[in-house]
Amino acid sequence: MQHRFVVLAPFVALIMTTPETARAEAPCDCDHVIELSGEVVSGADMGVKPGDSVCVRGGDRPFLRLQKFVGEENAPIEVRNCEGQVNIDNDDKGYGLTVDESRYLRVTGAGDPDIPYGFKVRASRTGPDYSAFGVAVGGLSSDVEIDHMEVYEAGFAGVVMKTESRCDGSANLGNFVMYNSRLHHMYIHDVKGEGIYFGSTGYGGRVFTCDGMEVTLYPHEHHGAWIHDNIIENTGWDGAQIGVTPKDCHFYRNTIKNVGTEGELYQQQGLQVGGASSCKIWGNTLLDGPTNGFFIFGAGHTQLYNNVVANFADTGIYINDQNLNMGSKIEVAHNTVISSGDWGIAVFGAALGPGFLRNNAVAGAGMAEIAIGGEVPEFIDEGNQTADDPDGFGFVDAAARDFHLTENSPLRNVGFPVPEYEIVDDHDGVPRDDGAPDVGAYEFTDTGSTSDTTTTDGTFDRWDVRRTGR
């Protein structure tokens, strides 16, 4: 799953307003202000220091490139919108909003509490030589947080976070690590490629031309990823992809709907995790796709729990070792998997380490609800409940895809504890019975429920205050 990337030509930074002038001309409550004329902006040239705030004035602009905004671990720089929404829109560039050569930086669209997505980004170029990203974090950047943005109609990926390998080796495996990336409260929709492209596909490397010679260069690792509370829908390729993230990877409370609309072979998964990435994946809702919901392919130690997966034409949760002898533990518990064309949950690969399927509710699979290949070693199948028809599980409204449990559901109180790791609550944050939990993503509650996890107005219906801080 390799994509072509273009090295963007350098720009000459524009002269920005000084902090004093910005304060005199605008009520934006920041140490510095980027005016509408600012398109390529250097934090170093602006005199931005660790702990400073930078306002981006609302209004229309073709693109915004942020460079050399370098804070400190305990004094990050914050860039936020002010005086309305920042509307970035172009159809002739390879990007909408970029971050390069920066560290300990947050770029947020939460500058105005009345606007759920303070940055709106469109970069629709589709070729002929390269297609556009909506938001791109690269250029050896690290410790960057992106949040509260709407990204749409990107010519390729909605958001990409990685630095492409370089001939000088500075961005390559062993020389560079992208640390502590955070991507949350984004609305990404109607893009031609992936919604989120995080990290490289794998360690295998890619051929580059360096000094007239073809050489194989290997991508850097990511240590620390928190990707959560995002809405991703109507993507041409995968909803999201995570690669080469072997440490501290978390993907949670995201909603992914209607993926793979371009029909590109091998690029039609809800979420793909591979490249030896070791992730905790929980509380997500994946709906509607032409192949697989979760595609765990050549991943490291992976925990997948409290997720809802419905209406994928191949397999709801597909797990395969990709012939990589890593002994990876894949632990799958308390998921609700409904209406798969082939298998509900499939596990294949003799190179997998000990893992398990526990307390999953699987119904309506075209071939088999659960398929564990005979070559898979020491894989526990315990406490799972299967049915030909999801109506047999006693859901609130299976046709409307509300898979909460009714009082008389046969999934109640028939699960087993999961001793390998603690699952204290369910998809909604409802506490689980630690002795005999309910099977599937939801624990029964009589306090009411809703079938929609998220809405496109920036609110998150079911996440109360104690959950959103996680």
Side-chain angles (χ1 to χ4, degrees), residues 327-359:
S328 302
K329 294 182 179 180
I330 311 295
E331 300 170 333
V332 182
H334 284 292
N335 300 286
T336 296
V337 183
I338 305 297
S339 299
S340 305
D342 291 342
W343 299 291
I345 302 176
V347 184
F348 296 98
L352 290 173
F356 60 76
L357 304 180
R358 283 199 175 100
N359 303 336

Side-chain angles (χ1 to χ4, degrees), residues 434-445:
D434 59 3
D438 297 346
V439 167
Y442 297 106
E443 192 82 3
F444 172 76
T445 176

Side-chain angles (χ1 to χ4, degrees), residues 135-219:
V135 175
V137 178
L140 300 178
S141 295
S142 183
D143 300 272
V144 173
E145 179 174 5
I146 304 289
D147 63 275
H148 290 90
M149 299 182 185
E150 179 180 354
V151 183
Y152 70 109
E153 294 182 9
F156 186 54
V159 178
V160 61
M161 300 186 80
K162 69 171 186 174
T163 296
E164 193 70 6
S165 300
R166 296 179 173 182
C167 290
D168 67 4
S170 61
N172 304 356
L173 184 66
N175 294 329
F176 174 71
V177 174
M178 183 179 281
Y179 292 100
N180 300 324
S181 300
R182 300 178 186 274
L183 182 66
H184 60 95
H185 294 92
M186 304 285 285
Y187 177 34
I188 303 167
H189 63 98
D190 299 288
V191 299
K192 293 291 187 180
E194 287 95 343
I196 296 173
Y197 193 143
F198 188 89
S200 297
T201 300
Y203 283 95
R206 199 159 63 83
V207 175
F208 291 76
T209 300
C210 299
D211 295 328
M213 303 285 292
E214 288 191 346
V215 296
T216 300
L217 304 179
Y218 298 92

Side-chain angles (χ1 to χ4, degrees), residues 1 183 194-199 225 227-228 230 232 235 237-243 245 249-260 266-274 277-299 302-305 307-310 312 315-320 335:
M1 195 172 301
L183 182 66
E194 287 95 343
I196 296 173
Y197 193 143
F198 188 89
I227 303 171
H228 63 93
N230 301 295
I232 304 168
T235 64
W237 291 18
D238 302 334
Q241 174 183 307
I242 299 174
T245 308
C249 170
H250 310 264
F251 188 91
Y252 57 100
R253 296 199 309 252
N254 301 285
T255 296
I256 299 176
K257 304 178 183 179
N258 194 31
V259 302
Y266 308 125
Q267 307 280 2
Q268 304 174 59
Q269 329 296 338
L271 170 66
Q272 174 170 321
V273 178
S277 301
S278 296
C279 301
K280 292 184 177 181
I281 304 165
W282 56 271
N284 303 286
T285 299
L286 273 58
L287 306 172
D288 305 325
T291 59
N292 307 294
F294 289 106
F295 190 61
I296 312 301
F297 194 61
T302 300
Q303 296 178 344
L304 192 73
Y305 60 98
N307 300 287
V308 173
V309 187
F312 282 85
T315 300
I317 300 174
Y318 182 89
I319 299 163
N320 193 301
N335 300 286

